[in-house]
Amino acid sequence: MTDLDIKTVGGNGSFEDVIAAAPPEIQALARAARELLADVMPGITEVPWARQKIAGYGVGPKKMSQHFCYIAPFKKHLNFGFMYGAHLPDPQKLLEGKGADLRHVKIRKAADLEDAGLRELVAEASRYLPKLK
């Protein structure tokens, strides 16, 4: 594993603690998703919540005002979530969910992380932090 340009702060536990209970293939997807985030936004802030099995990412430690996305492992997929996904342009229709703000992309295989549309969503979401405006 390479050194990633990620600043980990707060939370409860580590990223590895967040993904520890997931099957090995989902752990690999989570690590790859984390690499994608570090590539799109070098220096990104990570807050791992091991008890909740989720890691949040953004410009600081505050969940809804400074985070733009999250990684949440499940048994058969990984949720690559967006805090304000309902407000993002999604021409490829990758986002799922019905909440007022939250949306996610289900990642089931490594090729899902290589989708240019997902990278575009991450880049757009990293610029969309409405509570900081």
Side-chain angles (χ1 to χ4, degrees):
M1 188 160 110
T2 61
D3 289 333
L4 299 178
D5 190 1
I6 293 177
K7 179 175 64 171
T8 301
V9 298
N12 55 53
S14 69
F15 177 77
E16 290 299 319
D17 294 331
V18 168
I19 65 172
E25 60 274 12
I26 301 302
Q27 289 182 23
L29 289 176
R31 289 184 191 103
R34 188 175 185 241
E35 287 179 22
L36 170 66
L37 288 168
D39 185 49
V40 172
M41 188 178 184
I44 193 168
T45 297
E46 170 184 76
V47 182
W49 291 287
R51 287 192 294 272
Q52 295 89 339
K53 296 184 176 95
I54 191 168
Y57 297 88
V59 297
K62 295 179 183 171
K63 189 175 187 178
M64 290 306 288
S65 64
Q66 294 180 327
H67 290 186
F68 62 86
C69 68
Y70 62 89
I71 293 173
F74 291 88
K75 288 182 182 180
K76 296 186 179 191
H77 71 277
L78 178 78
N79 272 5
F80 198 120
F82 297 89
M83 301 308 220
Y84 301 100
H87 310 284
L88 295 175
D90 182 22
Q92 293 188 23
K93 307 291 186 223
L94 298 175
L95 294 168
E96 299 180 37
K98 298 182 192 281
D101 291 318
L102 296 173
R103 295 288 186 277
H104 64 275
V105 177
K106 283 192 173 88
I107 306 296
R108 293 184 173 90
K109 57 191 182 308
D112 294 341
L113 290 167
E114 296 168 12
D115 187 314
L118 178 62
R119 182 174 280 272
E120 290 169 18
L121 281 171
V122 173
E124 185 65 30
S126 72
R127 293 185 290 270
Y128 189 82
L129 293 165
K131 295 188 179 179
L132 295 179
K133 292 180 181 178

